[in-house]
Amino acid sequence: MRGVLVGAAMCVAANAVAADSIPESLTGARGDPVRGRAIIVNRHLGLCLLCHSGPFEEQRFQGDLAPDLKGAGARLSEGQLRLRIVDNSRVNSATIMPAYYRTARLARVAPAYQGKTVLSSEQVEDVVAFLSTLRD
Amino acid sequence: MRVVGTVALLCTLAVPVRAVEIPPAERRSGYEFMSRETRAMQDDDAANPAMLWVLEGEALWARTAGAGERACRDCHGDARSSMKGVAARYPAFDATRGRPVNLEQRVNACRTERQKAPALAYQSRELLALTAYLGRQSRGLPIDIATDARMKPFLDAGRAAFNRRQGQLDLSCAQCHDDHWDKRLAGNAITQAHPNGYPLYRLEWQGLGSLQRRMRNCMAGIRALAPEYGSAEFVDLELFLAWRARGMKMETPAVRP
């Protein structure tokens, strides 16, 4: 079942390039924005703040390699956010952003991470749900 | 079938864009990214913890080892003159192996072939001490590796490795160290990844480490499978880094955060 879901997500992403979006939830359910925020600020799980900065006042040492996450939910629709988290290389082939929900086309992955996505489908949805709340 | 075709097409379109190499005038040693306190630690031999390894290396240089009952000094004399500038020329081509070897491998070739002593393990205190002592004799001298036709295939292999995306996070060395060296990864300067201070004392390690140890740290960060210590692939990458830093002054033994 999980394999089918992964395959389905890949296909959705592949076919969604023109549309610039993955409109459907990867899990069929809405994510939890509170859990999403916790994933984003976790430097071993979401890794987001290594490169991005954002409205996380308690977090010191945020990155400046990537756009500020402030206002992400106003700039991008939920589906657009989902595509960029699942696999930003679909939007920009030269991106430095890792694909958070893709296991294909990766080289020399360390054994502990082989065949695993950076985030689970549930975690992707949680992050999408939180980023959608960043509207200012 | 149609979906498979679409995915395959996307794969070919997603070839990473080649990074642009840093022009010589913009090259900056890791030293320039450091705090004043860390610079001061490197600048003062009495405060630089790596000098403990250099002193140990000096003692090892004069110590007899192996069945050959010879010390490095018996063949090479005073390292302060005979080894001046040598470390700055490594990795160097080794005719016996038909490929470049790094300084660690050169020391071990001398040990096994001349001294009839066992090779020293990577990251062993003795090998770090000897390479730190040798590197110290090139301090202030420019990196000056050979780039003749024999070296070219290995240099090209190192360049390809530097530019290859890898790991679960799908990043190449170049994407950080050529394209974003002036940015910060969380709180830390990314830097240009020049190899001009190795082996060096890293505050994070609380000890001395080789260039290959440092590269393994980076590879762990991007969740990639690192090559074995001393593998041809790592030496090719060292060679490319040395070429990329050609002309930069050696700082061995450096201090880094």
Side-chain angles (χ1 to χ4, degrees), chain B residues 55-115:
Chain B
L55 290 173
E56 191 173 328
E58 185 175 19
L60 286 172
W61 182 261
R63 190 178 303 160
T64 302
E69 296 189 350
R70 275 190 287 188
C72 309
R73 192 176 62 184
D74 294 336
C75 290
H76 297 289
D78 186 345
R80 284 171 297 183
S81 50
S82 70
M83 291 293 126
K84 194 175 168 67
V86 170
R89 298 197 287 270
Y90 274 78
F93 193 81
D94 181 278
T96 313
R97 288 171 181 74
R99 59 159 293 113
V101 294
N102 64 16
L103 195 57
E104 287 89 342
Q105 290 169 326
R106 190 71 196 87
V107 167
N108 272 332
C110 248
R111 278 183 66 84
T112 57
E113 291 158 25
R114 311 282 180 200
Q115 293 179 295

Side-chain angles (χ1 to χ4, degrees), chain A residues 122-136:
Chain A
E122 293 79 7
Q123 289 169 330
V124 170
E125 290 305 322
D126 292 341
V127 171
V128 169
F130 174 73
L131 291 176
S132 298
T133 70
L134 298 180
R135 307 199 66 86
D136 298 323

